[in-house]
Amino acid sequence: TFSRGQRGEPRPLALAALVRESIGLARSSFPASVEIRCALAERVPAVMADPVLIEQVLLNLCINARDAMNGSGTITVSLRHAWAVRGSCCSCRQPVAGDFVELAVADTGSGIAPEHLDRIFEPFFSTKGVGRGSGMGLAMVHGIVHELGGHVLVDSEVGQGARFRVMLRPLAAALTPANGLAAAAPGLPVGRLAGRVLLVDDEPAVLDFMRELLERWGLTVRACADPAAARAVLEDPAEDCDLLLSDQTMPGLTGVELAGLARRQRAALPVVLYSGYSGALAATAPAAGVVAVLDKPVDPQRLFEVLAAHLPAA
Ligand SMILES: Nc1ncnc2c1ncn2[C@@H]1O[C@H](COP(=O)(O)OP(=O)(O)O)[C@@H](O)[C@H]1O
Ligand SMILES: [Mg+2]
């Protein structure tokens, strides 16, 4: 079985210490020309959360802030107890009102174009060049924050900067969450599939996202971050699998090479690859038994259709 990383259980958590620690990490890895300020209020109520996930949220927001500043500027991370909040969640669009613990990351960067504001939380949406942005950062932030019953407020002025405010329920309120588990990511196809998928991607954020997507559709997923591990699964006759879904470009072993291997071991196994350069692959892949090559970033709707066509009927 595949472990869910270091993900733990939500527990009562005082954010100030965690924020201080995470900021230290960011400070040591960001260029010195990026200043990180901290404004942590005293006596902020605790929240119910897994510290590892909150750290992921914070670091993703800080990395985006850094990327938006072209090398120099100021990031301000703040924590406070906010009363009588009124706003609307930038990712799920629901009204946000009442009493919250607010963890905010503000920057002095480029800001967000108004026409992008609606889309920034979508999986794979990125304005960064090929190979620079995965578009998964804010999709992950959306997932984590909503799983905790929280929301994200965003305000931005083009040319001035952006501010992301993660709004979490104070512990007393969070102990009786209206819905404990995952609100779906925005814009994902809803459907049912059945079968076992061997999923291979060397980028952990993408691997995680793809696994959750497949599991949401009802699939059993064997996820490998290392293509060599996937090869071992393919070579083990005791391992059951209905479809191989893999990234093309990975260290050690490409998707096409993995497909060729799969073909020798399991002639009937359908193989689906995704790649940033799918055009070049389309010519060579069919010979390796690849039934479809998808463009990266993967369009979840298209992925659903391809899987539905090649998996045994649900
Ligand atoms: N602090 C910010 N300032 C300006 N734009 C931002 C900021 N944070 C996010 N964005 C925009 O949202 C997009 C999606 O962010 P994200 O999901 O983290 O993906 P990625 O960082 O890989 O592009 C970014 O490409 C960028 O256009
Ligand atoms: Mg990002």
Side-chain angles (χ1 to χ4, degrees):
T1 56
F2 187 80
S3 89
R4 299 179 65 84
Q6 309 163 289
R7 187 178 290 206
E9 288 293 310
R11 56 178 162 86
L13 190 67
L15 290 179
L18 181 84
V19 170
R20 257 187 229 106
E21 213 178 288
S22 311
I23 294 312
L25 202 76
R27 274 206 186 100
S28 62
S29 59
F30 286 7
S33 51
V34 170
E35 189 193 344
I36 307 183
R37 287 187 197 150
C38 231
L40 309 180
E42 281 172 49
R43 287 191 295 278
V44 176
V47 297
M48 274 303 266
D50 173 357
V52 174
L53 297 184
I54 296 294
E55 181 165 45
Q56 269 179 29
V57 166
L58 184 56
L59 289 179
N60 267 299
L61 294 178
C62 287
I63 288 167
N64 281 345
R66 178 203 63 191
D67 289 350
M69 292 196 302
N70 214 353
S72 76
T74 304
I75 300 175
T76 306
V77 178
S78 58
L79 178 70
R80 66 181 182 123
H81 188 180
W83 284 277
V85 173
R86 288 182 67 89
S88 155
C89 178
C90 187
S91 66
C92 78
R93 317 276 144 84
Q94 281 181 46
V96 180
D99 185 15
F100 291 90
V101 171
E102 175 191 288
L103 175 59
V105 177
D107 65 64
T108 57
S110 59
I112 301 165
E115 68 270 23
H116 290 159
L117 210 51
D118 273 341
R119 306 200 49 205
I120 54 175
F121 287 92
E122 281 178 29
F124 301 116
F125 178 80
S126 175
T127 57
K128 298 166 195 176
V130 173
R132 296 191 57 237
S134 67
M136 295 307 299
L138 290 180
M140 207 197 299
V141 167
H142 164 93
I144 292 171
V145 171
H146 285 82
E147 211 167 278
L148 297 171
H151 292 286
V152 189
L153 302 178
V154 180
D155 42 281
S156 166
E157 191 86 84
V158 173
Q160 305 291 304
R163 181 172 62 146
F164 286 74
R165 298 154 71 197
V166 172
M167 313 303 288
L168 298 172
R169 286 295 183 185
L171 182 56
L175 282 173
T176 54
N179 74 358
L181 274 181
L188 292 178
V190 181
R192 280 321 270 180
L193 295 168
R196 291 159 195 275
V197 174
L198 176 59
L199 170 68
V200 194
D201 196 307
D202 63 305
E203 198 175 319
V206 178
L207 186 72
D208 239 42
F209 169 76
M210 294 292 270
R211 188 189 57 229
E212 284 188 9
L213 190 58
L214 299 180
E215 285 176 347
R216 192 171 292 141
W217 291 333
L219 294 165
T220 304
V221 181
R222 176 71 190 261
C224 296
D226 176 4
R231 165 193 220 146
V233 172
L234 288 169
E235 287 173 345
D236 181 352
E239 293 277 2
D240 228 4
C241 147
D242 300 310
L243 186 140
L244 167 64
L245 174 62
S246 175
D247 187 18
Q248 163 61 6
T249 310
M250 300 177 291
L253 210 55
T254 66
V256 170
E257 286 168 342
L258 213 48
L261 233 138
R263 171 152 250 200
R264 261 169 278 141
Q265 310 287 331
R266 303 158 185 256
L269 184 73
V271 180
V272 177
L273 299 182
Y274 52 92
S275 165
Y277 311 93
S278 59
L281 261 183
T284 57
V290 175
V291 296
V293 180
L294 303 177
D295 280 317
K296 208 171 161 178
V298 173
D299 170 13
Q301 184 62 48
R302 172 97 182 96
L303 175 63
F304 184 87
E305 288 162 11
V306 167
L307 294 179
H310 293 282
L311 280 166

